[in-house]
Amino acid sequence: MEKTYDFGLVGLGVMGRNFILNVADNNFSAYGLDTDSEKVKSLREEGAGKVVDGTTDKKEFISKLSRPRKIMLLVPAGGPVDAVINDLSPLLDKGDLIIDGGNSFFTDTDRRAESLESKGIYFFGTGVSGGAKGARFGPSIMPGGDKDAYEIVRPVFEAVSAKVNGEPCVDYMGARSAGNYVKMVHNGIEYGLMQLISEAYDVMKRGLGLSNQQLHNTFDQWNKSKLQSFLVEITAEIFTKKDELTNKDLIDVILDKAKQKGTGKWTSQNAMDLGIPVPTIDVAVSMREISSMKADREKAESLYGAKSIKGDSSLTVKDVEDALFFAYIVTYAQGMTQLWAASKEYKYGCDMETIAKIWRGGCIIRSGLLEDMRKAYARDKALSSLLLDKDIAAKAKSCEVSARKVAAYAIGQGIPVSGMVAGLSYFDAFTTGRLPLNLIQAQRDHFGSHTYERTDREGIFHTEW
């Protein structure tokens, strides 16, 4: 009888090849498909000695997979995903499972799942975080779709995922497009954290005058304390890398124009649709857009003059550390509140403790803080905001003074810290029992008869101003 393989993967680029090799490492046989014969050849070379193979022929690919077939797609989001589905679905049987492992927009996943469901084929939108290295040695995986169908692929995903305290960094996220949605917000939080780290770097480099070596030492030390996180860890490494072309520090020759693939923007846009404020994520997206305006920024600097930044003897590296930690808390809180609201709106059935748990390892936003978040949601399954948990609140309070100190210094010196300021303003608004929005309601009623509510009695009111 011809051998069949446990798991199929379409798209043998770096991510796909690494993921399928990870599957083979964990005692599951795996078979790949790609239109590029060189990529199939690379898989065979890297997978020598493992039970893994590949082909460029879709019919051969399908025939090699054991039933129910488990087929993961790691191809670019959008049209390529639809093209692969259209190619393969006529060859599949009822009960087979297609898994989209890319960053697809969640409504596309709902559409694809509905179409395939009519054919008896399961479809999962599955977030995979950890980059190429994570794909090879253990990512965080966020699958969403039919709960019973998850059992088809659960053993494979649990085996290949990252582990924290022996627990796999994968679990069922919820119905329909929950997996893609959770990954989208993960990426939005990632945007926010990266922006905040860049602001801390700017304050310390231009404000405190730290050298790249000192910045390396600082971030390396932070990664051993409350700011322990993957992004802080790699930031420390960046400051020691030399440029092969000039032998200068590489960080100093990298152009200050940050690109983006859209997931941060999607998070921001959908948060507005839901009526959930995520200002740190909004600002992070905007700052990447401002960074692309390089020529205009240089003209503006010549017009308005370069900033004359003066050091502040009272500002310390510890202040910046605390300000960054405070901003980390607020950014996670914004993203998790969006997930909480989306789960209710779209009826995903997400468990917030589970999300925090599987983000503790493998993914780009993993950090020590996620265990504290997991505990917060374990204490209160209905927690609408992390800032309402007493232990999280205590951590935020302990760093609040430094957050204000760093923001005030940066604003005074003209150092842009829009992420930190947005987070601080969000915190101040969220922790204020009475905001000045009563005036806005009065204005709306004055010019448009939009009515208002009162503090002293029930009902809807209008005044002839």
Side-chain angles (χ1 to χ4, degrees), residues 151-173:
E151 293 303 312
I152 298 172
V153 76
R154 181 179 59 79
V156 177
F157 278 177
E158 288 185 351
V160 303
S161 69
K163 308 295 186 297
V164 173
N165 301 325
E167 296 178 314
C169 291
V170 59
D171 209 327
Y172 176 72
M173 293 289 94

Short mmCIF file of all heavy atoms in Angstrom, two decimals, residues 151-173:
data_model
loop_
_atom_site.label_atom_id
_atom_site.label_comp_id
_atom_site.label_asym_id
_atom_site.label_seq_id
_atom_site.Cartn_x
_atom_site.Cartn_y
_atom_site.Cartn_z
N GLU A 151 -10.16 19.09 16.67
CA GLU A 151 -9.57 17.83 17.14
C GLU A 151 -8.78 17.13 16.05
O GLU A 151 -7.86 16.36 16.33
CB GLU A 151 -10.66 16.90 17.69
CG GLU A 151 -11.32 17.41 18.97
CD GLU A 151 -10.31 17.67 20.09
OE1 GLU A 151 -9.47 16.77 20.33
OE2 GLU A 151 -10.36 18.76 20.68
N ILE A 152 -9.13 17.40 14.78
CA ILE A 152 -8.42 16.77 13.66
C ILE A 152 -6.95 17.18 13.65
O ILE A 152 -6.06 16.38 13.36
CB ILE A 152 -9.08 17.17 12.31
CG1 ILE A 152 -10.53 16.67 12.26
CG2 ILE A 152 -8.27 16.65 11.13
CD1 ILE A 152 -11.30 17.20 11.05
N VAL A 153 -6.70 18.44 13.98
CA VAL A 153 -5.34 18.97 13.85
C VAL A 153 -4.68 19.26 15.20
O VAL A 153 -3.49 19.55 15.27
CB VAL A 153 -5.36 20.25 12.97
CG1 VAL A 153 -5.91 21.45 13.76
CG2 VAL A 153 -4.00 20.57 12.40
N ARG A 154 -5.44 19.15 16.27
CA ARG A 154 -4.91 19.50 17.60
C ARG A 154 -3.61 18.78 17.95
O ARG A 154 -2.65 19.42 18.41
CB ARG A 154 -5.97 19.23 18.68
CG ARG A 154 -5.50 19.61 20.09
CD ARG A 154 -6.60 19.36 21.12
NE ARG A 154 -7.03 17.98 21.14
CZ ARG A 154 -6.37 16.98 21.74
NH1 ARG A 154 -5.24 17.22 22.39
NH2 ARG A 154 -6.83 15.74 21.70
N PRO A 155 -3.48 17.46 17.72
CA PRO A 155 -2.23 16.80 18.10
C PRO A 155 -1.01 17.37 17.38
O PRO A 155 0.06 17.52 17.99
CB PRO A 155 -2.47 15.34 17.69
CG PRO A 155 -3.95 15.18 17.71
CD PRO A 155 -4.48 16.49 17.23
N VAL A 156 -1.17 17.72 16.11
CA VAL A 156 -0.05 18.30 15.36
C VAL A 156 0.30 19.68 15.91
O VAL A 156 1.47 19.98 16.19
CB VAL A 156 -0.39 18.40 13.85
CG1 VAL A 156 0.76 19.07 13.10
CG2 VAL A 156 -0.68 17.03 13.28
N PHE A 157 -0.71 20.53 16.07
CA PHE A 157 -0.45 21.90 16.54
C PHE A 157 0.15 21.91 17.95
O PHE A 157 1.04 22.72 18.24
CB PHE A 157 -1.75 22.71 16.52
CG PHE A 157 -2.10 23.28 15.16
CD1 PHE A 157 -3.29 23.97 14.97
CD2 PHE A 157 -1.24 23.14 14.08
CE1 PHE A 157 -3.62 24.51 13.73
CE2 PHE A 157 -1.55 23.67 12.83
CZ PHE A 157 -2.74 24.36 12.66
N GLU A 158 -0.34 21.05 18.82
CA GLU A 158 0.21 21.01 20.18
C GLU A 158 1.66 20.55 20.17
O GLU A 158 2.47 21.03 20.97
CB GLU A 158 -0.64 20.12 21.07
CG GLU A 158 -2.00 20.72 21.42
CD GLU A 158 -2.79 19.89 22.40
OE1 GLU A 158 -2.36 18.75 22.70
OE2 GLU A 158 -3.84 20.38 22.88
N ALA A 159 1.99 19.65 19.25
CA ALA A 159 3.36 19.14 19.18
C ALA A 159 4.33 20.20 18.65
O ALA A 159 5.44 20.33 19.16
CB ALA A 159 3.40 17.90 18.29
N VAL A 160 3.92 20.97 17.65
CA VAL A 160 4.86 21.89 17.00
C VAL A 160 4.92 23.26 17.67
O VAL A 160 5.86 24.03 17.42
CB VAL A 160 4.51 22.09 15.50
CG1 VAL A 160 4.50 20.77 14.77
CG2 VAL A 160 3.18 22.83 15.31
N SER A 161 3.97 23.58 18.52
CA SER A 161 3.93 24.92 19.12
C SER A 161 5.00 25.09 20.19
O SER A 161 5.59 24.12 20.68
CB SER A 161 2.55 25.17 19.75
OG SER A 161 2.39 24.34 20.90
N ALA A 162 5.27 26.34 20.54
CA ALA A 162 6.16 26.64 21.66
C ALA A 162 5.56 26.09 22.94
O ALA A 162 4.34 25.85 23.02
CB ALA A 162 6.36 28.15 21.77
N LYS A 163 6.39 25.90 23.94
CA LYS A 163 5.91 25.40 25.23
C LYS A 163 6.35 26.35 26.35
O LYS A 163 7.47 26.84 26.35
CB LYS A 163 6.47 24.00 25.52
CG LYS A 163 6.28 22.97 24.40
CD LYS A 163 4.84 22.63 24.16
CE LYS A 163 4.67 21.50 23.16
NZ LYS A 163 5.18 21.81 21.80
N VAL A 164 5.45 26.58 27.30
CA VAL A 164 5.77 27.35 28.51
C VAL A 164 5.34 26.50 29.70
O VAL A 164 4.16 26.14 29.81
CB VAL A 164 5.05 28.71 28.53
CG1 VAL A 164 5.26 29.41 29.86
CG2 VAL A 164 5.55 29.60 27.39
N ASN A 165 6.29 26.16 30.54
CA ASN A 165 6.02 25.27 31.68
C ASN A 165 5.36 23.97 31.21
O ASN A 165 4.48 23.42 31.89
CB ASN A 165 5.13 25.97 32.72
CG ASN A 165 5.76 27.23 33.25
OD1 ASN A 165 6.98 27.32 33.41
ND2 ASN A 165 4.93 28.23 33.52
N GLY A 166 5.79 23.49 30.04
CA GLY A 166 5.25 22.26 29.49
C GLY A 166 3.90 22.40 28.80
O GLY A 166 3.39 21.44 28.23
N GLU A 167 3.31 23.60 28.84
CA GLU A 167 2.00 23.82 28.23
C GLU A 167 2.18 24.34 26.80
O GLU A 167 2.93 25.29 26.56
CB GLU A 167 1.19 24.84 29.03
CG GLU A 167 0.84 24.39 30.44
CD GLU A 167 0.09 25.45 31.22
OE1 GLU A 167 0.49 26.63 31.20
OE2 GLU A 167 -0.92 25.10 31.85
N PRO A 168 1.48 23.75 25.83
CA PRO A 168 1.62 24.20 24.45
C PRO A 168 1.01 25.58 24.23
O PRO A 168 -0.05 25.90 24.80
CB PRO A 168 0.85 23.14 23.65
CG PRO A 168 -0.11 22.53 24.61
CD PRO A 168 0.56 22.60 25.96
N CYS A 169 1.68 26.40 23.42
CA CYS A 169 1.19 27.75 23.14
C CYS A 169 0.25 27.72 21.94
O CYS A 169 0.47 28.39 20.91
CB CYS A 169 2.36 28.70 22.90
SG CYS A 169 3.32 28.99 24.40
N VAL A 170 -0.78 26.90 22.07
CA VAL A 170 -1.84 26.81 21.08
C VAL A 170 -3.09 26.36 21.80
O VAL A 170 -3.03 25.58 22.76
CB VAL A 170 -1.50 25.80 19.95
CG1 VAL A 170 -1.27 24.40 20.51
CG2 VAL A 170 -2.59 25.77 18.89
N ASP A 171 -4.23 26.85 21.35
CA ASP A 171 -5.51 26.38 21.87
C ASP A 171 -6.59 26.88 20.91
O ASP A 171 -6.36 27.78 20.11
CB ASP A 171 -5.78 26.89 23.29
CG ASP A 171 -6.65 25.93 24.08
OD1 ASP A 171 -7.52 25.27 23.47
OD2 ASP A 171 -6.48 25.84 25.32
N TYR A 172 -7.75 26.31 21.03
CA TYR A 172 -8.88 26.72 20.21
C TYR A 172 -9.30 28.14 20.62
O TYR A 172 -9.56 28.40 21.79
CB TYR A 172 -10.03 25.74 20.42
CG TYR A 172 -11.31 26.08 19.72
CD1 TYR A 172 -11.42 25.95 18.33
CD2 TYR A 172 -12.41 26.55 20.43
CE1 TYR A 172 -12.61 26.27 17.67
CE2 TYR A 172 -13.60 26.86 19.79
CZ TYR A 172 -13.70 26.72 18.41
OH TYR A 172 -14.86 27.03 17.77
N MET A 173 -9.37 29.04 19.65
CA MET A 173 -9.66 30.45 19.94
C MET A 173 -11.15 30.75 19.94
O MET A 173 -11.62 31.62 20.68
CB MET A 173 -8.97 31.35 18.92
CG MET A 173 -7.46 31.37 19.01
SD MET A 173 -6.82 32.22 20.49
CE MET A 173 -6.60 30.85 21.62
#
